[in-house]
Amino acid sequence: MGPARPAGNRAGRPGEQGGGGSRGGGAGAAPEAGRREGRGGGEGPGGRDGRRPGSRGGETRASSKRRQAGRRRDPQLRTVREGSWEGSQARCRERTGKGTAEGAEQAEGASRRESKSSCLRIPTLLETEEQILGEERGETSPEQQALGQQPRRPTISFSICPKSRRQSKWSHVGCRSGSVVNELAKMGDPDVVEMVQEEGKLSSREVDYINEMSEQSPSSRETSFLISKEPAPAKRFNLFLRRRLMFEKDRQSKDSIFFRDGTRQIDFVLSYVDDMKKETDIKAERRKEFEENLRKTGLELEIEDKRNSEDGRTFFVKIHAPWEVLVTYAEVLGIKMPIKESDFPRAERTPFSYMLGLLKLPRNVKHPHPEYFTAQFTRHRQELFLIEDESSFFPSSARNRIVYYILSRCPFGIEEGKKKFGIERLLTSHTYSAAYPLHDGQYWKQSESPNPVNERYILHQNWARLSYFYKEQPLDLIRNYYGEKIGIYFVFLGFYTEMLSFAAVVGLACFIYGLLSMNGNSSSMEICDPKIGGQIIMCPLCDLVCDYWRLNTTCLASKFSHLFDNESTVFFAIFMGIWVTLFLEFWKQRQSRLEYEWDLVDFEEEQQQLQLRPEFEAMCKQRKRNPVTKEMEPYMPLYSRIPWYFLSGATVTLWMALVIACMVAVIVYRLSVFATFASFMESEASLKHVKSFLTPQITTSLTGSCLNFIVILILNFFYEKISAWITKMEIPRTYQEYESSITLKMFLFQFVNFYSSCFYVAFFKGKFVGYPGKYTYLFNVWRSEECDPGGCLIELTTQLTIIMTGKQIFGNIKEAIYPMVLNWWRRRKARTNSEKLYSRWEQDHDLESFGSLGLFYEYLETVIQFGFVTLFVASFPLAPLLALLNNIIEIRVDAWKLTTQYRRPVAAKAHSIGVWQDILYGMAVLSVATNAFIVAFTSDIIPRLVYYYAYSKNANEPMKGYVNDSLSTFLIADFPNHTVPSEKRDFTTCRYRDYRYPPDHDQKYFHNMQYWHVLAAKMTFIIVMEHIVFLVKFLLAWMIPDVPKDVMERIKREKLMTIKILHDFELDKLKENLKINSSEFSKHVMIEENKVQLAKSTI
């Protein structure tokens, strides 16, 4: 909690009534002010401006020059003053024409009024303006002429009226001065009229004048002289000093997050540009009614004119929620607040804490506040809660959440017979350009003393820096600043990264095993051996253009394939099936612990998620009784939404078909360019050294994967826009329905978009090729792709590596560079008025908006990565390591952009990761099947095992002869004429990868018995592996409780303590009431007894 701000220091704050020119504020500032007046144009002992009383107008030469310069700068001001000059002359002649007696009476009345206390008098507004404008030109009023006095200027006075802790700022009417009312009217405060009218001091004409001046821009404050009084000579300031103090007030409030009074904190900011288009009047009317309704709800508004903005075009509406509004809506939203400090000690250091000391954050950063027992806030039980300071009792995240709740439901008019409301509609129609809560201050420096603790700076120093990549995250501080919804995302991302470290270690060990055993692999040795692989002639890979080739040309590719296709592949696939189960079960425990620590145990997706969306309410024409609440609610029948559902389903299906079509186009590209690569590499002698490791197959696979990745990014960009639009057209009822709908659309599309090419390589490529002389053709034109003699696993690894790595690199660059460039360009365009002050709200306005779907895309990115790590991990054991490295950077990049490049998001509550958890469970189950199929059909491990146990003829070297056994023989004479290469060869047969009978067999080119043995072994492996992994998954899920035992005990303890505290509070309250009633009853009984005794004594 921030420190309490004493009322005695308020006058010295930037932008406050008493803090413009004197840092001490209050009466103590008057002597200093007087000294400055004597030097800088103020009143001195000898008369006004420190000159002799006989000097006309009392202006120094310097102040006269400044005033003339000001008139040249502001012709509007000069016009107002000239008009006022003529009017004041006429009024002066009219007044002097009255009788001497009447003038004496007025002078005597003025003298009496001047002697009254400033707290008891508010001068007449129009009279004050005339006096000010007249005195500026050296005029004297009739009253002053009658008294023989020099004309005086109205001045700003400084006074301190401390507020009561439980009362609003209007509580002490007796302490109001004319200066206070003047300042409030200048700020456009809507309550100033009511305040003065209640005292009976204003006429209707004066009320209109206040409203007119309140609507003026803050930049025209210099011409707005509303209320003044005649203080002692030592406290009077001339017009120049007043202007200088106003400028000082602006300068001091440059980084302030308060209103200009320095006490009311800015909880939300709205901005708009006053353009000159046709709809300007409509937008202005909407804004006027919207702001009027906001004031009716109790919010306080302060408007900054466009002339005070950096670009000279933007208006800013600053919003403050007073205590009464906060306590009311805190009860409505069910916000839990502390009632007693928790008696549970924080977790003590474990034996490993000293080993992990470098990873820990300082205790005051990790746990900025102590733990409390909490209860839902009730404004009728305020004494129950630990309210030390009203200004800091509600954290800033809760304050902006409350204000946004009001903004999203505030009406702004009736259009086309429908009630329009909500800030989101106004933002969509560009009535307002932005709506955002303020950051605490600059992220690179601490806030100055009047402002509260700058949590943004603390987060940047301890969280949002890449050099802190090895440190834990300040999760409690993230939750306090950004709210639970964003906080739980970073908890999930951090926990997922921690669990990835275990999978990364095992995957790296499997890769190292493959690296160490690569040179001793018998299959690679046979392929690379010139006497074996060099003597095997392979059939052409394409028709006509491609030539016959020798097997040893794929020597290096076979070695690389062994890195990922070895005995450890089966182990790692089974391990990852168990790992994903442990990850999800332990995440449940972490989530339940988080619910307790963050007071989300009894939270239901209500408050913001199950509330009706304003767009839904606005579109509904019917109402229906809610069977639970028994209240009438907006209702939209199903038949009116069915067309949009059909359109939505058709659009998603169309785009998924488009993804499949693009994948087929990439396959066609690979088929068409393969022949080109093959003939080019054969003809170019300079590529002789490259051909050993860059074969036509690998070259085609690399270029095809890169092209596929580019297509994925393009499709993804367009689909994001379309899916958001379609979801809005469906008019979801609640925020939860909206998020669920767009999540389903986006995930289905991204799943097909990112994984379709990997599924094709893993399960379709090379599986339906046919055999030489009877190949299958795509569209009867392009021959189907074949796998490398070492299998398709290396191509799947290549595809997965390019898409996964490319997506992560592109995503991090986009997240870091894109908002930074946009912010730089926005600031560059905005700074047209360099002499203007770059205020706190303008700095945040120039940042990029995080948006309502900002967190959605972060979850989507993480879940897609989770798919790469789990679905195809058997083909690429290094995938968890790449994901781990990416997430370490991702956490800091997300933290950096949220803290420095984005406006502060509106705080929201959530107790889980929502629908994403169900998606993760679905992907975990699917990953078991996909990895089993990859090991069985894409990897070469099962055929090798079958050969090892069933077909090997060498007991000393069981795998010797495997390569020759896995290749079938084809007679070149059986080639059709349109497929055979044109050149004649001196060999009669070629080899191809399959299990078929040779040409001299009765059933030539049919599948032999070994093919069916291998197929049976593959299916058996899939069934056995799936059952083993699923059995382990279910056992682990049953053994690991969703809520840890210690957390369950803490929850029960807190519920018990909360009930006890509430019971004691109500009991004490009841006793206090009974005590009052019993004392009154005893007094009554005593009086009656005295009466009886007195009557007896008299008798």
Side-chain angles (χ1 to χ4, degrees), residues 727-763:
T727 306
K728 287 184 179 178
M729 292 298 101
E730 290 177 2
I731 319 174
R733 184 172 180 271
T734 63
Y735 288 101
Q736 189 179 31
E737 288 181 10
Y738 177 83
E739 288 190 5
S740 299
S741 178
I742 196 170
T743 299
L744 180 63
K745 293 183 183 63
M746 286 298 299
F747 176 74
L748 284 176
F749 174 78
Q750 297 251 17
F751 186 90
V752 175
N753 196 21
F754 280 102
Y755 302 145
S756 57
S757 59
C758 294
F759 273 101
Y760 163 73
V761 174
F763 306 124

Side-chain angles (χ1 to χ4, degrees), residues 52 126 164 204 217 222 276 320 403 485 512 547 627 667 670 688 797 850 869 888 912 918 920 983 1006:
R52 291 186 302 274
L126 301 178
S164 171
S204 61
S217 64
E222 297 165 338
M276 303 304 294
H320 166 75
V403 174
K485 194 168 186 178
I512 293 174
D547 202 356
I667 295 172
R670 293 159 65 118
K688 184 179 292 184
T797 303
F850 189 63
V869 169
I888 290 173
S912 67
D918 299 328
L920 291 176
E983 297 182 8
F1006 280 92

Side-chain angles (χ1 to χ4, degrees), residues 6 40 1082:
S1082 59

Side-chain angles (χ1 to χ4, degrees), residues 157-412:
S157 67
F158 299 87
S159 62
I160 300 175
C161 296
K163 294 191 295 184
S164 171
R165 180 174 174 276
R166 291 287 181 184
Q167 293 177 351
S168 67
K169 63 180 182 295
W170 306 123
S171 298
H172 297 287
V173 177
C175 291
R176 303 185 193 120
S177 65
S179 175
V180 174
V181 179
N182 193 0
E183 291 296 322
L184 292 174
K186 290 175 188 176
M187 291 186 292
D189 195 297
D191 297 321
V192 67
V193 178
E194 297 180 11
M195 182 188 75
V196 183
Q197 275 184 325
E198 286 175 2
E199 298 180 5
K201 300 292 184 180
L202 296 178
S203 64
S204 61
R205 183 184 177 191
E206 292 162 349
V207 170
D208 295 339
Y209 187 76
I210 283 184
N211 290 331
E212 179 184 349
M213 301 309 279
S214 298
E215 292 174 0
Q216 288 186 9
S217 64
S219 63
S220 61
R221 286 177 300 204
E222 297 165 338
T223 61
S224 302
F225 302 100
L226 302 180
I227 302 175
S228 68
K229 62 178 182 178
E230 299 292 340
K235 296 184 180 179
R236 287 177 295 188
F237 294 83
N238 59 15
L239 179 62
F240 167 72
L241 184 56
R242 180 180 298 191
R243 290 177 180 171
R244 192 179 73 181
L245 291 179
M246 197 65 70
F247 177 78
E248 288 290 321
K249 185 180 294 186
D250 286 343
R251 185 185 65 79
Q252 292 171 357
S253 63
K254 176 180 178 181
D255 286 329
S256 175
I257 59 172
F258 294 95
F259 276 17
R260 295 192 178 277
D261 58 9
T263 57
R264 291 178 291 172
Q265 182 177 340
I266 300 173
D267 296 316
F268 225 87
V269 176
L270 309 178
S271 66
Y272 62 92
V273 177
D274 194 8
D275 50 15
M276 303 304 294
K277 297 179 181 178
K278 295 181 181 179
E279 62 269 17
T280 302
D281 295 337
I282 299 175
K283 292 180 179 178
E285 186 64 30
R286 288 175 181 169
R287 285 192 294 265
K288 182 178 179 182
E289 187 162 355
F290 185 71
E291 292 166 14
E292 185 83 23
N293 290 328
L294 287 179
R295 290 187 176 103
K296 290 178 181 177
T297 63
L299 296 179
E300 298 171 4
L301 276 60
E302 184 176 83
I303 302 176
E304 286 288 334
D305 189 76
K306 63 181 180 181
R307 282 171 284 185
N308 280 350
S309 65
E310 184 74 11
D311 59 1
R313 299 171 53 246
T314 307
F315 292 86
F316 292 94
V317 181
K318 298 175 286 186
I319 302 175
H320 166 75
W323 175 256
E324 291 79 5
V325 173
L326 292 174
V327 297
T328 301
Y329 284 93
E331 184 174 358
V332 171
L333 294 176
I335 296 177
K336 289 187 175 183
M337 300 306 293
I339 56 176
K340 181 183 178 182
E341 190 166 347
S342 175
D343 55 5
F344 280 112
R346 290 193 185 271
E348 298 294 332
R349 289 183 176 270
T350 62
F352 298 100
S353 297
Y354 296 101
M355 298 171 57
L356 304 176
L358 287 175
L359 308 180
K360 300 295 182 181
L361 287 170
R363 193 173 183 84
N364 62 331
V365 176
K366 185 179 179 181
H367 302 295
H369 303 292
E371 290 186 353
Y372 294 100
F373 293 131
T374 60
Q376 286 195 0
F377 187 83
T378 308
R379 65 181 184 275
H380 301 299
R381 296 177 178 171
Q382 294 186 33
E383 298 82 1
L384 176 65
F385 297 89
L386 302 178
I387 306 177
E388 296 177 2
D389 182 10
E390 289 181 356
S391 62
S392 60
F393 177 64
F394 290 103
S396 55
S397 58
R399 297 176 70 100
N400 70 60
R401 181 181 163 219
I402 289 171
V403 174
Y404 182 76
Y405 180 87
I406 299 173
L407 291 173
S408 62
R409 278 151 181 77
C410 183
F412 57 85

Side-chain angles (χ1 to χ4, degrees), residues 7 46 83 186 262 298 320 431 504 552 580 592 625 656 663 668 759 822 833 872 875 878 954 983 999 1009 1064:
K186 290 175 188 176
H320 166 75
T431 305
N552 63 349
V580 74
S592 63
R625 185 178 300 278
M656 290 170 66
M663 185 189 71
V668 170
F759 273 101
L822 283 182
N833 300 324
F872 309 101
S875 66
L878 292 181
N954 191 329
E983 297 182 8
M1009 189 57 64
D1064 292 345

